[in-house]
Amino acid sequence: SFHLYQGRLCLSRDQKEKALDFFKRSAEIYPNAPALYFAGQTAFFDFHRPAEAIFWLKKIHSELRMPSFLHLNRLLGHATDLTGDHALALYYFDKEAKDFPFSALNAGLRLGALQKHNAPPDQIAAAAAVFRRTMEMRKLNTDEFPKLLKNPALDDEPLVK
């Protein structure tokens, strides 16, 4: 749509507020996965507004009846964790792991959520093992996790043998 295109154009020009307005307008006029996802992603990453991100992203599930879109569940898990709903965050991280079992970013965010919310030690140990394994598959050390947070596209690259 026109508004979705304009939003993407504004993002490329670092006009983030205008971009978010265009994405929200696009999602209101014609709710579709890209418009809703861009609205949620922009609210989350560019404005650090997890509750607003959840508002837009959940519509992909509820209104469009799509169980997954890009990394929707990881983003919902991350945003939900930041708003304090630990159980729901883990639900989304687990859904993401089913779609993307080799995602080191999802494994790291899930581990962080478990640690932050004082999960039982056996759950934390199991999640840490998955995190280490997925990072090793990406030829990254666990202390390089911030690289994935800054550039999530690295997590989507083909695995290195």
Side-chain angles (χ1 to χ4, degrees), residues 51-137:
E52 183 179 349
I54 292 166
F55 172 81
W56 294 108
L57 296 169
K58 275 188 158 183
K59 289 176 180 270
I60 297 173
H61 286 310
S62 64
E63 292 182 17
L64 304 182
R65 305 276 186 241
M66 293 177 70
S68 184
F69 179 78
L70 300 174
H71 291 287
L72 170 65
N73 291 306
R74 179 180 71 209
L75 190 50
L76 275 168
H78 196 177
T80 304
D81 187 49
L82 292 177
T83 62
D85 192 339
H86 170 61
L88 188 56
L90 290 176
Y91 167 79
Y92 286 126
F93 288 138
D94 290 345
K95 280 183 73 165
E96 179 78 5
K98 287 179 180 146
D99 291 337
F100 301 97
F102 304 117
S103 170
L105 186 51
N106 189 63
L109 290 170
R110 186 178 187 284
L111 173 60
L114 287 167
Q115 291 170 330
K116 185 171 27 173
H117 298 287
N118 300 313
D122 60 323
Q123 284 184 13
I124 292 173
V130 170
F131 174 60
R132 282 191 303 276
R133 186 178 73 246
T134 56
M135 289 293 283
E136 287 170 5
M137 293 170 78

Side-chain angles (χ1 to χ4, degrees), residues 136-151:
E136 287 170 5
M137 293 170 78
R138 299 236 166 262
K139 305 294 186 212
L140 293 170
N141 298 317
T142 55
D143 61 343
E144 294 179 289
F145 184 68
K147 288 181 183 179
L148 291 178
L149 288 171
K150 287 183 182 176
N151 188 0

Side-chain angles (χ1 to χ4, degrees), residues 19-46:
L20 182 57
D21 289 341
F22 276 119
F23 294 144
K24 292 188 320 191
R25 186 71 182 130
S26 179
E28 290 164 353
I29 293 171
Y30 174 60
N32 61 80
L36 292 164
Y37 192 81
F38 272 106
Q41 185 180 42
T42 304
F44 185 76
F45 288 114
D46 294 314

